[in-house]
Amino acid sequence: MSYESCELQVLNPATEEVVATVRGATAQDVDAAVVRAADAQARWAALSPADRARALRRFAAVVDEHLEELARLEVTEAGHTIGNARWEAGNVRDLLDYAAGGVERLNGRQIPVPGGLDVTLLEPLGVVGVIAPWNFPMPIAAWGTAPALAAGNAVILKPAETTPLTALRLAELALEAGLPEHLFQVLPGEGPVAGNALVEHPGVAKIVFTGSTRVGKQIMAKCADRVKRVTLELGGKSPNIVFADADIEAAALSAPMSFLDNSGQDCCARTRILVQRTVYDRFLELLAPAVESVVVGDPADEKTQMGPLISKTQLERVTSYVSGDAPGIRGTAPEGPGFWFPPTVLTEVDPHARVAVEEVFGPVAVVLPFEDEAEAVRLANATEYGLSGSIWTRDVGRALRVSQAVRAGNLSVNSHSSVRYWTPFGGYKQSGLGRELGPDALTAFTETKNVFISTEA
Ligand code: NAD
């Protein structure tokens, strides 16, 4: 275990200026936080459901009052467009409200048995560790935190190294809203130090991890050692399947932002555009101007559609996938300081090439032609991932057949939506384990206890 503290430098990705320096937590800090959290959790779980629900609604209201401030902080530390950042802060508020509504509805069951009464109790797990990535720092932190608190747990959140500021602010707002001290603690720090200490800590009952498949596998292995509960939300390489019978114009015009939103740093990005061969040329004709006209620039400008990548490391990674002379469509990006990469669509790509199978996590998509429905499904499933995908067709039967055949957790037909806080979200295959959000979000943070009471004693 490492007991060494570190300094985390937070950069504005649009300017490369240092905006804050934050102390990284050590394993010792995690130990102390777990002790405090366990104490707070016992008191929190003993409150009446109505009191816990009210406290979470107050937290939601305080987040709402600070929505613009939180959004601006997200623009500064993550380079998100201001429009997206406002949505993200609003998503935190909505999640807290939604989870608050679940506290009084977290019902067990009564199961008919002879000789007595059988009931199930849904009990909180205890202390939950939430390890969040940098690509959607606020919403993803809240996806784990809000339902875990609502189900009676305490939460220790470890934000990503590059984006700790909104998380730290949310912890302050929780206290301002009157949530018990130490119930929701934020420990910024390095993954292998603070993150790992949470994973290994015997006092942490569950880990909710969102991040790369590589780290997710390591965490799952460590959790297995302790039979620790774990939810994993990992990578994606999602298909956008366009059939010849679709509204081709709508499909082509909506395709750019389905992989350029958040500069492509989105686990649901539709980065494999599969187009039926008979409409392939027409689709590309429509796609090219739509990609070229995407407004890339200062994320604080209301008109901007795409900002910078998060870091120099990410820029180098994305650049390694695209050779300068590769055929395709390219948009524009600012020059000078900041981690900029232009919107890029590659054509004439070998379906087995790295860029066609690996998660780039940047504004890069490939377009691949297919002949018929069977080939579309085969190509869509030819990936180790299975997070999301889109299907464009006017044929209802085909929409249903392909929705059933594509092995992914979140599909949308004639649209690219995938995340709503009141519908379940999660991955097939190596995109993850378990589900977040939706009506069952709270039960993922409980143990089911079965109690039989004899009527014959
Ligand atoms: P990452 O795996 O590098 O880091 C994620 C988090 O894990 C960070 O907080 C990091 O500090 C921590 N971490 C790193 N090593 C650790 C260790 N050994 N032990 C414990 N914690 C550790 O991922 P990233 O680069 O921050 O995020 C990008 C990835 O996240 C992409 O692959 C993306 O697809 C995925 N993602 C998935 C979803 C989803 O819901 N499925 C959502 C967003 C992002």
Side-chain angles (χ1 to χ4, degrees):
M1 270 201 187
S2 167
Y3 286 88
E4 272 173 39
S5 170
C6 68
E7 297 254 290
L8 306 172
Q9 269 202 344
V10 183
L11 298 187
N12 180 333
T15 62
E16 301 184 38
E17 283 160 1
V18 178
V19 291
T21 304
V22 172
R23 182 181 167 277
T26 61
Q28 214 165 17
D29 295 326
V30 172
D31 283 345
V34 173
V35 172
R36 294 192 297 262
D39 181 54
Q41 189 269 330
R43 285 181 281 117
W44 175 244
L47 290 179
S48 78
D51 285 341
R52 274 188 279 136
R54 204 172 298 115
L56 290 173
R57 279 196 292 269
R58 272 199 305 269
F59 188 10
V62 174
V63 169
D64 192 49
E65 285 160 21
H66 293 80
L67 204 126
E68 189 63 20
E69 177 204 333
L70 287 164
R72 298 267 163 205
L73 207 50
E74 192 87 304
V75 173
T76 306
E77 74 169 337
H80 291 192
T81 60
I82 183 65
N84 277 10
R86 287 189 187 118
W87 178 89
E88 288 162 42
N91 188 247
V92 177
R93 170 205 56 210
D94 294 343
L95 268 155
L96 287 165
D97 262 334
Y98 181 66
V103 178
E104 290 145 308
R105 296 172 178 81
L106 192 56
N107 303 321
R109 306 167 83 176
Q110 180 264 311
I111 300 166
V113 290
L117 180 74
D118 193 282
V119 289
T120 62
L121 311 176
L122 300 184
E123 298 185 339
L125 299 172
V127 178
V128 172
V130 176
I131 302 179
W134 45 260
N135 64 328
F136 288 107
M138 266 194 291
I140 289 176
W143 293 8
T145 301
L149 293 177
N153 302 280
V155 170
I156 301 175
L157 164 65
K158 195 211 79 68
E161 290 84 337
T162 43
T163 54
L165 301 184
T166 47
L168 286 167
R169 188 68 185 122
L170 284 172
E172 289 171 1
L173 296 180
L175 288 179
E176 196 179 316
L179 241 62
E181 218 186 350
H182 308 315
L183 184 71
F184 170 45
Q185 300 175 71
V186 173
L187 293 188
E190 292 174 316
V193 182
N196 186 58
L198 273 178
V199 173
E200 291 191 338
H201 202 293
V204 175
K206 173 166 183 165
I207 292 291
V208 179
F209 171 80
T210 305
S212 60
T213 297
R214 182 183 63 81
V215 175
K217 286 177 184 176
Q218 293 169 7
I219 288 180
M220 188 174 173
K222 290 204 170 167
C223 286
D225 242 10
R226 296 157 185 82
V227 198
K228 187 172 285 196
R229 279 66 181 136
V230 63
T231 297
L232 302 174
E233 296 288 2
L234 310 175
K237 187 77 183 172
S238 298
N240 175 10
I241 313 170
V242 182
F243 287 97
D245 67 21
D247 179 339
I248 301 300
E249 194 167 356
L253 297 186
S254 66
M257 291 319 289
S258 78
F259 73 94
L260 296 175
D261 196 50
N262 208 25
S263 310
Q265 302 166 126
D266 180 342
C267 51
C268 292
R270 280 24 174 209
T271 51
R272 288 186 303 141
I273 309 175
L274 312 179
V275 184
Q276 197 153 17
R277 198 179 289 280
T278 50
V279 292
Y280 184 83
D281 290 344
R282 172 81 187 123
F283 183 86
L284 282 188
E285 261 169 42
L286 291 161
L287 182 67
V291 169
E292 287 156 6
S293 62
V294 170
V295 182
V296 183
D298 177 5
D301 185 330
E302 306 275 345
K303 290 192 283 303
T304 296
Q305 290 174 280
M306 191 183 112
L309 292 166
I310 185 75
S311 62
K312 188 162 180 278
T313 314
Q314 194 61 15
L315 178 59
E316 285 166 359
R317 181 183 147 78
V318 174
T319 308
S320 79
Y321 281 95
V322 185
S323 72
D325 55 356
I329 306 164
R330 284 171 178 74
T332 55
E335 309 221 326
F339 308 118
W340 303 99
F341 196 89
T344 302
V345 178
L346 300 179
T347 53
E348 298 169 45
V349 176
D350 173 353
H352 305 292
R354 264 178 79 223
V355 71
V357 294
E358 292 180 13
E359 182 180 50
V360 177
F361 228 50
V364 180
V366 299
V367 193
L368 300 169
F370 67 83
E371 297 299 333
D372 55 15
E373 191 176 309
E375 191 184 12
V377 169
R378 191 180 55 70
L379 276 173
N381 285 334
T383 164
E384 66 195 22
Y385 296 115
L387 192 55
S388 58
S390 303
I391 300 154
W392 290 81
T393 175
R394 287 191 175 107
D395 178 336
V396 178
R398 168 173 282 158
L400 285 173
R401 276 195 309 276
V402 178
S403 296
Q404 286 167 342
V406 173
R407 298 194 46 77
N410 302 85
L411 297 176
S412 53
V413 175
N414 296 327
S415 74
H416 298 294
S417 78
S418 45
V419 182
R420 293 184 187 83
Y421 60 84
W422 65 101
T423 60
F425 179 80
Y428 276 47
K429 301 192 276 184
Q430 294 194 30
S431 283
L433 187 74
R435 291 292 178 271
E436 295 191 276
L437 310 178
D440 302 322
L442 271 60
T443 43
F445 295 97
T446 62
E447 288 285 8
T448 301
K449 182 179 280 173
N450 194 68
V451 180
F452 169 72
I453 305 154
S454 170
T455 47
E456 291 167 6

